[in-house]
Amino acid sequence: MGTRLAARIMTAVATTGAIAVLPPAEAHAGAIGSTPVATFDYQVGGVTMKVPTGCMFTHIIRGDGKSITYQNAGVDCGFVGALNAGFCNWRIDFTYADTDNKIYRTSRGKTHTECKINPMRDHAPQKLPRYGKACAQIYVNGVRRAGQCHHITK
């Protein structure tokens, strides 16, 4: 039980810290959400890489109605997670779905071959044709490892 409490406290502190350093919002609405990146192993050039617990995937969005003025997603690691070699062969995709959960737009990120402990991607402002949700996902070696979505409503 102590490990779960420590993880919850770490998440709350990390989210509060992230919110505290954000520039003032330019739009009327916004959202920030984080989800843990589960522990996983993967191969890079015959070497087994391990991503331990302690990493969070965060998606930030600002805008007004169907207009997104700012969007960012990335991974932050703390405790044991901060000691790993990072994420190699990673990319971050942004997707947009309508209220029936049908994806109508995907912005596939560039695959980065370098290993990075804190992969991050900004995305250009978007004018959405309909309400629904905006999501971000991180892929490592072509495998989806975490995702986070925000609903876009009236």
Side-chain angles (χ1 to χ4, degrees):
M1 187 61 102
T3 319
R4 286 184 184 174
L5 179 60
R8 286 183 181 176
I9 290 170
M10 177 190 76
T11 301
V13 170
T15 302
T16 303
I19 291 171
V21 299
L22 292 175
E26 299 172 5
H28 301 292
I32 181 171
S34 295
T35 189
V37 177
T39 299
F40 65 95
D41 295 338
Y42 65 102
Q43 297 283 318
V44 175
V47 176
T48 300
M49 307 291 282
K50 182 175 187 71
V51 174
T53 57
C55 296
M56 300 293 286
F57 182 67
T58 301
H59 179 209
I60 302 167
I61 192 168
R62 289 189 207 125
D64 185 18
K66 293 182 279 185
S67 176
I68 297 173
T69 57
Y70 175 82
Q71 194 170 189
N72 173 282
V75 177
D76 290 308
C77 296
F79 298 111
V80 176
L83 302 176
N84 80 63
F87 298 82
C88 306
N89 301 322
W90 64 272
R91 78 172 199 266
I92 295 175
D93 293 353
F94 291 96
T95 59
Y96 305 91
D98 61 21
T99 54
D100 291 326
N101 213 24
K102 181 175 167 79
I103 294 173
Y104 61 85
R105 184 184 301 166
T106 298
S107 173
R108 184 179 169 126
K110 173 187 169 215
T111 297
H112 299 267
T113 56
E114 78 277 4
C115 299
K116 194 164 184 180
I117 188 68
N118 59 343
M120 184 180 303
R121 179 180 175 207
D122 287 323
H123 193 41
Q126 301 286 308
K127 182 67 176 163
L128 306 179
R130 47 187 119 9
Y131 291 103
K133 66 181 179 179
C135 301
Q137 298 90 28
I138 185 163
Y139 291 81
V140 178
N141 258 6
V143 178
R144 184 182 180 278
R145 296 299 179 174
Q148 219 291 321
C149 296
H150 297 292
H151 290 277
I152 311 293
T153 60
K154 292 182 185 180

